[in-house]
C-alpha cells in the first residue's frame, strides 16, 4: 500500500511529515538531555529491538546486542546517531520525547525548525506536501497498545519507500507514548521491480524461441548438458504422435537416449553408436554427429537423417531429425543403374575372352578401361541425377505461366547444377513469381536453391502469403534460423531474390527485391524498380534489414524482366570486360519488339557471342514475361 506520510497539526490540521528516507549527512548539534538515551533504549527493548545496526554497505552484518551496565551515554548516543534509520518517540500529546540526529536533521529540512524534547510534533502544514490523516491513525493504534510495522510511500521531495515501526511505551502497565523507527527501503523495492521486469523479459524470450522452433520444417529437440530433452518444436510433437509409441509429453523431461531407442529401435541405436555420439557432442569432444538410418516401422521404407550438434549460446545440444527418403531413393536408383552398367561391362568382357584367347592382353586392358568407365560414370551419373532432380524441382513448366501472353527463359548454369532458380505459384486471384541467385556454384548453390524453393512453397503455397515484402522477411528469418543453430557450423551464404505478385483482378503489380531489381517495359520505354541492398541470409552489419515495396499498374502489352547478375558479370567482348547491368538492360530494351520467346533466344545468342572463348563466371537466369 502506497501512502504519503504526514503528522496532525494544531487544531486538527494535518501537515506533511519530514522526508523519512532523506540522505541528510550526519551531524551532531548540541547536547541532548541526559536521560533520553536510556529511555530510548527502554522503548526499543519493549519494541523487540535487541541491538543497534551499525552502518555497513551490504546491510547484512550486525553487531550482537551488548548493553554493559555502565555503558557510556556518549557511546550510546553515537551508536544511535550513526544509523541512517530515523528513530524518535512521542508522548500521548504528540510531544517529542527523544530522537536521533538523522530524525532531527530530516525534520528540520522539511519544517525549517530544530526540534527538541518537549516540542509538539503537531507542526503546521508544509507547503508542497499532501496532508493525510494516516499518521494520526497509526499513532492512535500504537497508543492502543499494538506494536506493528507499515510500509509507506512519500514523494514531496523525492520518491521513496519507507518501512515504519510503531511500538507502545509502557510505564506501570499504562501506555504513555509511542516509539517509532523509519527505514528507507527504496532500493530494495527498485530491485524487486527490476527482478519482476527481468522475469517478464525472460518469459517473452521463451515465447519467441518457441515460435522460432515451430517454424522450422525439421523435427528439433533442445537438450541440456546431461542429454535431457528441454524443448521440442511442433514438427517433433507431430512425429512422436504419428509414431504410435507411448512417449509422455513427447519426451520433454526425459533422457533423449530413451526416446531415441523407441523411435529408432534398439538394434539401430546400439549398432550405430548413437549414445557414444551424443556423449561426445555434449562433452565437447566432437563438433557434431550425423547418422542416416532406415526406419524399423512396418510399411514403405522410410529413411531419416539424425544430426546432433552443440549449442553455441549455452551448454547442451540440438537434435535435428529429417526425412530423407526421396534423396535416398534417388541414390539407390543411381546405384542400381551403376550395378547394371558394371554387369554389362563384365558380360561384354567375357564375350571377348571367349571369342579370341589371343586378345587376352587387350581384354585385360578393356577390363581396366571398363572399371574406369564405371567409376567415371558413377561421378557423372551422380551429378546428372542431382542436376536433373534440381531442374525438375526448381524450373516451372511453361504452362504455369498461362496468365501471361508470352514467356521466355534463358537458363545457363556455370556448372552442371545451378545456384540460380525460378519459382512461381498461381491462384485464382494472384500470380507470384520469383527469380533468385544463391551464393555459390555447383552443388552448394544448388542445395541452397532447393532450400529456397521449399521455403517459398512453405511461405506462399502453404500459408498463403501474397505480400512480396512479407515473403522476403519470412524467407530471411527462416534462412537465418536454419544456419545459426550450432557452433562451428555457421553458414554465411544466402541469396539475392526478386519477388513479383500480380493481382489478376486489378492487374496491379507489387514487387520487392533483395539485391535484385525488376525491369518493366511499356511502349519501348524502360521502368526500373530497384531492389533493397539487404540480401536474404548471410552476414548483415548495417542495422535492421528493410525490404522495399513497389506498386505498378500493369497494362496489356507491358513486358516484365526478372534476372540474376550472371549475365552482366560475364567477361567478354573485344576488351574482355564485364557487360555490367546497364549494358544488359539496354539489350533487354532492344529486344522488346520481339515476342518473349524470341527475345529470350536472341539474348541467349548474344551471351554466347559476348563470352567467346572466355569461361562462364556465374550462373545465368533471365525471365521475360509479356502481359
Amino acid at each position: 500500500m502506497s501512502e504519503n506520510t504526514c503528522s496532525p497539526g494544531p487544531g486538527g490540521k494535518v501537515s506533511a511529515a519530514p522526508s523519512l528516507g532523506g540522505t541528510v549527512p550526519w551531524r551532531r548539534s548540541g547536547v541532548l538531555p541526559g536521560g533520553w538515551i536510556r529511555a530510548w533504549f527502554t522503548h526499543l527493548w519493549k519494541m523487540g529491538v535487541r541491538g543497534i545496526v551499525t552502518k555497513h554497505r551490504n546491510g547484512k552484518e550486525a553487531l550482537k546486542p551488548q548493553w554493559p551496565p555502565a555503558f557510556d551515554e556518549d557511546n550510546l548516543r553515537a551508536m544511535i546517531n550513526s544509523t541512517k534509520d530515523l528513530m524518535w518517540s512521542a508522548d500521548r500529546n504528540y510531544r517529542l520525547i527523544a530522537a536521533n540526529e538523522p530524525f532531527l536533521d530530516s525534520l528540520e529540512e522539511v519544517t525549517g525548525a530544530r526540534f527538541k524534547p518537549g516540542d509538539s510534533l503537531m507542526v503546521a502544514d508544509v507547503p508542497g506536501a499532501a496532508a493525510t490523516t494516516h499518521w494520526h491513525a497509526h499513532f492512535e493504534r500504537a497508543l492502543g497498545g499494538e506494536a506493528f510495522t507499515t510500509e509507506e510511500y512519500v514523494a514531496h521531495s523525492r520518491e521513496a519507500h519507507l518501512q515504519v515501526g510503531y511500538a507502545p511505551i509502557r510505564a506501570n502497565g499504562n501506555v504513555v507514548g509511542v516509539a517509532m523507527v523509519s527505514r528507507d527501503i527504496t532500493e530494495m523495492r527498485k530491485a524487486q521491480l527490476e527482478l519482476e521486469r527481468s522475469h517478464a523479459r525472460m518469459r517473452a524470450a521463451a515465447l519467441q524461441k518457441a515460435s522460432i522452433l515451430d517454424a522450422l520444417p525439421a523435427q528439433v529437440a533442445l537438450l541440456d548438458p546431461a542429454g535431457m530433452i528441454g524443448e521440442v518444436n511442433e514438427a517433433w510433437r507431430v512425429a512422436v504422435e504419428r509414431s504410435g509409441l507411448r512417449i509422455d509429453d513427447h519426451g520433454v523431461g526425459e533422457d533423449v537416449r530413451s526416446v531415441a531407442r523407441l523411435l529408432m529401435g534398439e538394434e539401430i541405436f546400439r549398432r550405430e553408436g548413437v549414445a557414444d555420439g551424443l556423449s561426445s557432442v555434449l562433452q565437447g569432444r566432437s563438433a557434431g554427429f550425423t547418422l542416416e538410418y532406415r526406419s524399423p516401422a512396418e510399411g514403405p521404407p522410410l529413411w531419416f537423417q539424425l544430426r546432433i550438434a552443440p549449442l553455441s549460446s549455452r551448454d547442451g545440444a540440438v537434435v535435428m531429425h529429417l526425412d530423407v527418403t526421396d534423396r535416398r531413393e534417388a541414390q539407390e536408383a543411381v546405384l542400381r543403374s551403376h550395378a547394371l552398367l558394371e554387369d554389362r561391362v563384365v558380360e561384354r568382357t567375357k564375350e571377348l575372352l571367349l571369342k579370341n584367347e589371343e586378345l587376352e592382353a587387350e581384354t585385360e586392358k578393356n577390363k581396366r578401361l571398363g572399371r574406369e568407365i564405371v567409376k567415371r560414370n558413377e561421378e557423372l551419373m551422380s551429378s546428372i541425377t542431382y542436376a536433373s532432380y534440381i531442374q525438375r524441382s526448381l524450373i516451372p513448366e511453361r504452362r504455369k505461366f498461362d496468365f501471361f501472353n508470352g514467356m521466355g527463359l534463358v537458363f545457363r548454369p556455370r556448372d552442371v547444377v545451378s545456384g540460380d532458380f525460378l519459382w512461381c505459384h498461381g491462384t485464382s486471384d494472384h500470380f507470384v513469381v520469383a527469380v533468385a541467385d544463391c551464393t555459390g556454384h555447383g552443388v552448394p548453390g544448388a542445395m541452397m536453391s532447393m532450400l529456397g524453393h521449399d521455403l517459398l512453397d512453405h511461405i506462399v503455397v502453404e500459408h498463403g502469403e501474397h505480400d512480396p515484402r512479407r515473403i522476403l522477411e519470412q524467407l530471411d528469418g527462416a534462412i537465418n534460423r536454419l544456419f545459426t543453430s550450432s557452433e562451428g557450423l555457421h553458414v554465411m551464404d544466402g541469396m539475392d531474390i526478386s519477388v513479383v505478385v500480380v493481382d489478376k483482378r486489378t492487374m496491379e503489380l507489387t514487387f520487392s527485391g533483395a539485391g535484385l531489381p525488376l525491369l518493366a517495359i511499356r511502349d519501348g520505354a524502360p521502368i526500373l524498380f530497384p531492389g533493397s541492398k539487404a540480401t536474404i541470409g548471410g552476414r548483415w552489419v548495417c542495422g535492421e534489414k528493410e525490404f522495399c515495396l513497389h506498386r505498378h499498374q500493369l497494362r496489356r502489352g507491358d513486358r516484365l524482366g526478372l534476372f540474376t547478375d550472371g549475365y552482366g558479370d560475364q567477361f567478354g567482348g573485344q576488351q574482355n570486360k564485364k557487360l555490367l547491368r546497364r549494358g544488359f538492360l539496354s539489350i533487354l530494351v532492344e529486344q522488346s519488339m520481339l515476342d518473349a520467346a524470341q527475345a529470350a533466344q536472341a539474348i541467349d545468342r548474344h551471351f554466347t557471342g559476348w563470352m567467346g572463348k572466355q569461361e562462364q563466371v556465374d550462373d545465368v537466369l533471365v525471365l521475360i514475361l509479356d502481359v
Side-chain angles (χ1 to χ4, degrees):
M1 179 179 70
S2 298
E3 297 177 332
N4 291 324
T5 304
C6 65
S7 59
K13 292 185 178 181
V14 180
S15 59
S19 175
L20 303 181
T23 56
V24 179
W26 177 85
R27 68 179 183 269
R28 181 178 180 183
S29 59
V31 179
L32 299 176
W36 77 275
I37 297 176
R38 288 192 177 86
W40 176 243
F41 266 91
T42 301
H43 304 331
L44 293 181
W45 195 268
K46 292 180 178 180
M47 291 171 62
V49 178
R50 294 298 183 266
I52 298 176
V53 179
T54 60
K55 295 194 292 183
H56 291 277
R57 292 188 179 273
N58 57 18
K60 296 181 179 179
E61 300 177 12
L63 294 178
K64 293 183 178 180
Q66 296 181 5
W67 200 333
F71 197 84
D72 182 74
E73 288 189 1
D74 287 339
N75 291 334
L76 292 176
R77 183 183 300 108
M79 292 173 64
I80 294 174
N81 290 332
S82 68
T83 180
K84 290 184 178 180
D85 295 345
L86 307 184
M87 302 178 179
W88 74 103
S89 59
D91 62 15
R92 299 186 65 91
N93 295 318
Y94 306 105
R95 289 192 298 267
L96 181 65
I97 299 175
N100 67 348
E101 286 295 320
F103 174 79
L104 295 175
D105 292 341
S106 180
L107 191 59
E108 182 180 4
E109 180 183 352
V110 176
T111 64
R114 189 69 179 182
F115 281 68
K116 60 183 181 298
D119 289 344
S120 175
L121 292 177
M122 306 290 284
V123 297
D125 289 347
V126 178
T132 63
T133 59
H134 78 282
W135 187 92
H136 180 269
H138 294 335
F139 194 84
E140 292 297 327
R141 180 179 170 188
L143 288 175
E146 181 180 356
F148 58 92
T149 301
T150 65
E151 186 173 316
E152 317 216 357
Y153 171 79
V154 295
H156 57 270
S157 60
R158 70 176 182 90
E159 293 187 358
H161 292 269
L162 307 175
Q163 189 178 67
V164 184
Y166 298 82
I169 302 173
R170 300 180 184 275
N172 299 323
N174 297 319
V175 178
V176 297
V178 178
M180 288 154 280
V181 178
S182 174
R183 172 166 293 175
D184 190 336
I185 59 172
T186 304
E187 294 304 321
M188 182 182 70
R189 285 291 174 262
K190 288 181 179 179
Q192 180 181 2
L193 179 60
E194 181 58 30
L195 181 60
E196 293 174 354
R197 291 173 179 169
S198 176
H199 288 170
R201 288 193 295 268
M202 292 174 62
R203 288 193 297 270
L207 292 174
Q208 181 181 15
K209 181 174 70 174
S211 65
I212 292 174
L213 290 177
D214 289 341
L216 296 176
Q219 302 159 21
V220 180
L222 300 181
L223 312 180
D224 67 9
M228 307 299 289
I229 300 177
E231 299 179 54
V232 298
N233 68 347
E234 183 61 23
W236 177 286
R237 290 188 286 269
V238 171
V240 169
E241 292 172 0
R242 288 179 177 176
S243 69
L245 300 172
R246 293 184 179 181
I247 302 178
D248 295 338
D249 199 19
H250 308 100
V252 174
E254 298 185 21
D255 193 316
V256 70
R257 301 169 183 84
S258 301
V259 177
R261 281 191 175 92
L262 293 176
L263 294 176
M264 302 173 64
E266 181 67 27
E267 180 181 355
I268 296 175
F269 183 86
R270 287 188 291 101
R271 184 181 69 232
E272 301 297 339
V274 177
D276 292 339
L278 174 63
S279 298
S280 67
V281 173
L282 291 174
Q283 297 170 10
R285 294 183 283 107
S286 172
F289 175 80
T290 302
L291 163 69
E292 284 194 9
Y293 70 94
R294 180 175 176 176
S295 172
E298 297 181 357
L302 297 177
W303 287 87
F304 295 94
Q305 182 185 82
L306 176 68
R307 179 182 174 192
I308 306 173
L311 291 173
S312 59
S313 58
R314 56 188 173 92
D315 293 336
V318 56
V319 175
M320 289 174 283
H321 197 247
L322 298 172
D323 187 337
V324 294
T325 303
D326 292 342
R327 178 173 62 79
R328 191 75 182 205
E329 290 177 349
Q331 290 177 334
E332 291 178 351
V334 172
L335 293 176
R336 288 193 298 269
S337 176
H338 293 166
L340 180 60
L341 182 59
E342 286 186 353
D343 291 343
R344 290 180 179 178
V345 171
V346 172
E347 182 181 353
R348 179 59 178 167
T349 302
K350 290 180 179 180
E351 291 176 357
L352 292 174
L353 288 172
L354 292 174
K355 287 181 180 181
N356 193 347
E357 294 181 357
E358 295 178 357
L359 297 177
E360 183 176 357
E362 187 67 22
T363 301
E364 184 64 24
K365 179 180 178 180
N366 288 337
K367 288 173 65 178
R368 291 195 300 270
L369 179 60
R371 287 192 292 269
E372 181 65 23
I373 291 174
V374 170
K375 180 180 179 180
R376 293 186 177 183
N377 272 282
E378 288 176 354
E379 299 173 353
L380 180 60
M381 289 297 296
S382 178
S383 297
I384 293 174
T385 300
Y386 276 110
S388 174
Y389 177 77
I390 293 173
Q391 295 302 321
R392 287 198 308 271
S393 300
L394 301 183
I395 299 180
E397 299 178 357
R398 291 180 180 270
R399 61 182 178 82
K400 291 188 176 182
F401 293 88
D402 57 1
F403 170 72
F404 296 93
N405 289 330
M407 176 266 196
L409 178 66
V410 178
F411 181 65
R412 299 181 66 146
R414 193 195 77 166
D415 302 313
V416 178
V417 289
S418 172
D420 291 359
F421 71 91
L422 170 65
W423 182 93
C424 72
H425 176 67
T427 66
S428 59
D429 298 327
H430 296 86
F431 188 88
V432 185
V433 61
V435 167
D437 181 359
C438 298
T439 305
H441 307 285
V443 173
M447 295 300 291
M448 181 67 74
S449 67
M450 182 185 300
L451 176 61
H453 185 277
D454 290 343
L455 289 174
L456 286 173
D457 280 344
H458 180 74
I459 295 169
V460 179
V461 180
E462 296 180 18
H463 291 276
E465 182 60 63
H466 292 140
D467 184 334
R469 178 161 55 191
R470 288 284 300 149
I471 293 173
L472 295 187
E473 291 173 350
Q474 295 183 36
L475 182 61
D476 180 65
I479 291 292
N480 286 327
R481 288 192 295 269
L482 286 174
F483 291 123
T484 57
S485 60
S486 60
E487 185 176 357
L489 298 175
H490 298 297
V491 177
M492 302 314 300
D493 293 342
M495 66 181 70
D496 295 340
I497 185 170
S498 56
V499 179
V500 171
V501 178
V502 179
D503 190 322
K504 294 181 177 180
R505 297 166 300 179
T506 64
M507 295 294 287
E508 182 185 43
L509 176 148
T510 52
F511 163 74
S512 281
L516 295 181
L518 166 69
L519 178 67
I521 302 175
R522 175 172 293 174
D523 299 329
I527 306 173
L528 184 65
F529 300 95
S532 302
K533 293 183 179 180
T535 61
I536 301 301
R539 184 183 297 276
W540 182 254
V541 294
C542 301
E544 185 176 357
K545 290 184 179 180
E546 294 185 0
F547 299 106
C548 61
L549 180 65
H550 299 281
R551 300 183 185 275
H552 179 64
Q553 186 62 44
L554 292 175
R555 294 196 318 221
R556 288 297 179 183
D558 289 351
R559 170 166 290 182
L560 302 177
L562 292 87
F563 47 86
T564 62
D565 58 5
Y567 202 113
D569 287 345
Q570 179 61 46
F571 288 95
Q574 296 180 354
Q575 298 180 350
N576 193 26
K577 293 184 177 180
K578 288 186 177 181
L579 184 63
L580 300 179
R581 180 174 291 178
R582 180 179 299 177
F584 171 60
L585 293 178
S586 65
I587 295 174
L588 288 178
V589 175
E590 290 173 4
Q591 305 300 331
S592 62
M593 300 303 295
L594 301 175
D595 63 39
Q598 293 174 342
Q601 294 174 0
I603 291 171
D604 187 64
R605 288 194 299 270
H606 181 275
F607 184 81
T608 300
W610 173 264
M611 183 171 59
K613 296 182 179 180
Q614 300 294 328
E615 292 184 357
Q616 186 174 336
V617 299
D618 198 0
D619 301 321
V620 174
L621 194 155
V622 181
L623 175 65
I624 300 174
L625 298 174
D626 287 337
V627 181

XYZ file of all heavy atoms in Angstrom, residues 274-312:
296
model
N 24.742 -44.437 -31.251
C 24.102 -43.143 -31.027
C 24.449 -42.592 -29.645
O 24.711 -41.394 -29.486
C 22.573 -43.258 -31.205
C 21.898 -41.925 -30.888
C 22.239 -43.698 -32.622
N 24.479 -43.462 -28.634
C 24.770 -42.987 -27.276
C 26.176 -42.389 -27.193
O 26.383 -41.322 -26.600
C 24.622 -44.138 -26.276
N 27.168 -43.064 -27.816
C 28.536 -42.536 -27.789
C 28.636 -41.231 -28.565
O 29.348 -40.292 -28.160
C 29.504 -43.563 -28.373
C 29.639 -44.797 -27.485
O 29.312 -44.676 -26.287
O 30.046 -45.851 -27.996
N 27.952 -41.152 -29.704
C 27.976 -39.915 -30.488
C 27.381 -38.756 -29.726
O 27.915 -37.631 -29.755
N 26.260 -38.996 -29.032
C 25.646 -37.941 -28.237
C 26.580 -37.497 -27.113
O 26.753 -36.290 -26.878
C 24.322 -38.437 -27.656
C 23.611 -37.505 -26.677
C 23.214 -36.212 -27.374
C 22.401 -38.181 -26.067
N 27.198 -38.440 -26.433
C 28.096 -38.090 -25.323
C 29.285 -37.273 -25.806
O 29.707 -36.314 -25.143
C 28.584 -39.370 -24.628
O 27.501 -40.084 -24.065
N 29.835 -37.623 -26.965
C 30.988 -36.877 -27.477
C 30.625 -35.431 -27.794
O 31.436 -34.520 -27.603
C 31.541 -37.555 -28.724
O 30.612 -37.484 -29.797
N 29.400 -35.180 -28.265
C 28.959 -33.803 -28.544
C 28.723 -33.054 -27.248
O 29.165 -31.912 -27.081
C 27.684 -33.814 -29.418
C 27.136 -32.394 -29.564
C 27.979 -34.400 -30.786
N 28.010 -33.667 -26.299
C 27.701 -32.994 -25.037
C 28.969 -32.683 -24.237
O 29.026 -31.672 -23.530
C 26.768 -33.868 -24.195
C 25.335 -34.037 -24.718
C 24.575 -35.032 -23.861
C 24.605 -32.697 -24.748
N 29.993 -33.526 -24.340
C 31.237 -33.321 -23.593
C 32.253 -32.485 -24.346
O 33.367 -32.284 -23.865
C 31.839 -34.679 -23.235
C 30.958 -35.521 -22.298
C 31.455 -36.938 -22.141
O 32.552 -37.281 -22.576
N 30.640 -37.785 -21.511
N 31.890 -31.975 -25.540
C 32.786 -31.098 -26.292
C 33.885 -31.819 -27.032
O 34.820 -31.191 -27.526
N 33.819 -33.161 -27.162
C 34.853 -33.902 -27.872
C 34.583 -34.015 -29.358
O 35.431 -34.483 -30.114
C 34.979 -35.308 -27.258
C 35.482 -35.305 -25.823
C 35.671 -36.713 -25.276
N 34.408 -37.346 -24.916
C 33.828 -38.321 -25.592
N 34.408 -38.777 -26.687
N 32.682 -38.851 -25.202
N 33.401 -33.596 -29.805
C 33.037 -33.688 -31.215
C 32.219 -32.464 -31.598
O 31.444 -31.937 -30.792
C 32.228 -34.968 -31.475
O 31.702 -34.980 -32.788
N 32.408 -32.016 -32.862
C 31.644 -30.859 -33.365
C 30.286 -31.266 -33.905
O 29.497 -30.395 -34.293
C 32.438 -30.146 -34.464
N 29.979 -32.538 -33.939
C 28.680 -32.966 -34.429
C 28.650 -34.466 -34.671
O 29.685 -35.139 -34.764
N 27.432 -35.026 -34.762
C 27.220 -36.444 -35.013
C 26.074 -36.559 -36.008
O 24.999 -35.975 -35.819
C 26.868 -37.171 -33.712
C 26.506 -38.626 -33.909
C 27.498 -39.581 -34.072
C 25.182 -39.025 -33.953
C 27.166 -40.910 -34.262
C 24.844 -40.348 -34.139
C 25.839 -41.313 -34.292
N 26.299 -37.292 -37.113
C 25.290 -37.433 -38.164
C 25.119 -38.907 -38.494
O 26.101 -39.653 -38.580
C 25.699 -36.652 -39.426
O 25.881 -35.282 -39.080
C 24.609 -36.739 -40.479
N 23.867 -39.295 -38.696
C 23.551 -40.689 -38.975
C 22.338 -40.745 -39.896
O 21.370 -40.007 -39.703
C 23.261 -41.435 -37.663
C 22.534 -42.779 -37.777
C 23.454 -43.800 -38.427
C 22.063 -43.258 -36.415
N 22.404 -41.605 -40.911
C 21.227 -41.906 -41.736
C 20.841 -43.356 -41.484
O 21.707 -44.249 -41.474
C 21.525 -41.684 -43.217
C 21.558 -40.218 -43.613
C 21.521 -40.025 -45.116
O 21.295 -41.020 -45.835
O 21.715 -38.875 -45.567
N 19.553 -43.608 -41.277
C 19.104 -44.950 -40.978
C 17.720 -45.193 -41.574
O 16.974 -44.256 -41.866
C 19.068 -45.182 -39.463
C 17.983 -44.407 -38.751
C 16.734 -44.986 -38.496
C 18.188 -43.095 -38.346
C 15.730 -44.275 -37.855
C 17.192 -42.383 -37.704
C 15.970 -42.971 -37.455
O 14.980 -42.259 -36.837
N 17.412 -46.448 -41.745
C 16.093 -46.840 -42.248
C 15.174 -47.127 -41.070
O 15.556 -47.824 -40.126
C 16.202 -48.076 -43.135
C 14.866 -48.544 -43.694
C 15.042 -49.681 -44.660
N 13.756 -50.203 -45.118
C 13.613 -51.158 -46.040
N 14.710 -51.683 -46.590
N 12.425 -51.580 -46.392
N 13.974 -46.569 -41.128
C 13.033 -46.737 -40.022
C 12.639 -48.199 -39.885
O 12.358 -48.880 -40.887
C 11.791 -45.873 -40.261
O 10.804 -46.156 -39.291
N 12.609 -48.715 -38.644
C 12.206 -50.111 -38.436
C 10.693 -50.316 -38.525
O 10.227 -51.448 -38.436
C 12.730 -50.404 -37.024
C 12.687 -49.075 -36.330
C 13.023 -48.056 -37.393
N 9.929 -49.252 -38.678
C 8.468 -49.370 -38.714
C 8.017 -50.116 -39.960
O 8.679 -50.096 -41.008
C 7.827 -47.978 -38.669
N 6.886 -50.796 -39.860
C 6.329 -51.524 -40.990
C 5.790 -50.554 -42.030
O 5.484 -49.415 -41.737
C 5.220 -52.464 -40.503
C 5.710 -53.549 -39.529
C 4.586 -54.462 -39.088
O 3.431 -54.204 -39.498
O 4.848 -55.422 -38.345
N 5.655 -51.054 -43.274
C 5.155 -50.215 -44.342
C 6.257 -49.868 -45.328
O 7.335 -50.480 -45.329
N 6.001 -48.885 -46.221
C 7.022 -48.484 -47.197
C 8.299 -48.052 -46.496
O 8.260 -47.473 -45.410
C 6.352 -47.291 -47.925
C 4.890 -47.478 -47.697
C 4.749 -48.121 -46.361
N 9.466 -48.348 -47.100
C 10.734 -47.975 -46.440
C 10.870 -46.467 -46.303
O 10.679 -45.726 -47.271
C 11.804 -48.560 -47.370
C 11.130 -48.699 -48.701
C 9.689 -49.004 -48.395
N 11.232 -46.014 -45.104
C 11.440 -44.593 -44.820
C 12.862 -44.417 -44.294
O 13.329 -45.201 -43.455
C 10.427 -44.076 -43.789
C 8.956 -44.130 -44.190
C 8.080 -43.664 -43.036
C 8.698 -43.276 -45.423
N 13.537 -43.393 -44.804
C 14.902 -43.092 -44.378
C 14.923 -41.758 -43.652
O 14.248 -40.810 -44.065
C 15.847 -43.041 -45.585
C 16.149 -44.397 -46.151
C 15.441 -45.074 -47.077
C 17.247 -45.250 -45.788
N 16.007 -46.296 -47.342
C 17.131 -46.422 -46.562
C 18.306 -45.129 -44.900
C 18.040 -47.477 -46.460
C 19.212 -46.164 -44.806
C 19.087 -47.326 -45.573
N 15.715 -41.686 -42.592
C 15.815 -40.474 -41.791
C 17.284 -40.130 -41.566
O 18.155 -41.008 -41.558
C 15.116 -40.636 -40.438
C 13.635 -40.831 -40.538
C 13.078 -42.098 -40.555
C 12.796 -39.722 -40.653
C 11.716 -42.267 -40.666
C 11.433 -39.886 -40.757
C 10.883 -41.159 -40.771
N 17.525 -38.834 -41.392
C 18.861 -38.355 -41.020
C 18.785 -37.777 -39.609
O 17.972 -36.897 -39.333
C 19.356 -37.274 -41.978
C 20.767 -36.785 -41.649
C 21.203 -35.635 -42.525
O 20.856 -34.487 -42.262
N 21.951 -35.949 -43.580
N 19.622 -38.293 -38.720
C 19.728 -37.795 -37.348
C 21.000 -36.966 -37.245
O 22.088 -37.439 -37.592
C 19.773 -38.944 -36.354
C 19.989 -38.560 -34.883
C 18.787 -37.813 -34.353
C 20.275 -39.797 -34.041
N 20.850 -35.737 -36.777
C 22.008 -34.851 -36.650
C 22.008 -34.244 -35.251
O 21.004 -33.687 -34.800
C 21.936 -33.739 -37.693
C 23.093 -32.759 -37.626
C 22.900 -31.680 -38.662
N 23.899 -30.645 -38.562
C 23.843 -29.482 -39.179
N 22.832 -29.211 -39.962
N 24.798 -28.586 -39.029
N 23.144 -34.353 -34.556
C 23.315 -33.795 -33.207
C 24.466 -32.803 -33.259
O 25.552 -33.127 -33.736
C 23.605 -34.893 -32.166
C 22.526 -35.987 -32.222
C 23.677 -34.296 -30.770
C 22.830 -37.179 -31.345
N 24.226 -31.580 -32.791
C 25.257 -30.532 -32.830
C 25.222 -29.766 -31.520
O 24.175 -29.636 -30.882
C 25.034 -29.581 -33.996
N 26.376 -29.249 -31.072
C 26.402 -28.478 -29.816
C 25.723 -27.138 -29.981
O 25.726 -26.545 -31.063
C 27.902 -28.324 -29.533
C 28.551 -28.418 -30.879
C 27.710 -29.378 -31.668
N 25.114 -26.655 -28.903
C 24.529 -25.318 -28.891
C 25.638 -24.287 -28.762
O 26.566 -24.457 -27.973
C 23.533 -25.168 -27.736
C 22.240 -25.974 -27.864
C 21.429 -25.879 -26.586
C 21.414 -25.475 -29.036
N 25.507 -23.189 -29.510
C 26.545 -22.166 -29.475
C 26.370 -21.200 -28.321
O 27.328 -20.607 -27.844
C 26.543 -21.382 -30.793
O 25.275 -20.781 -30.994
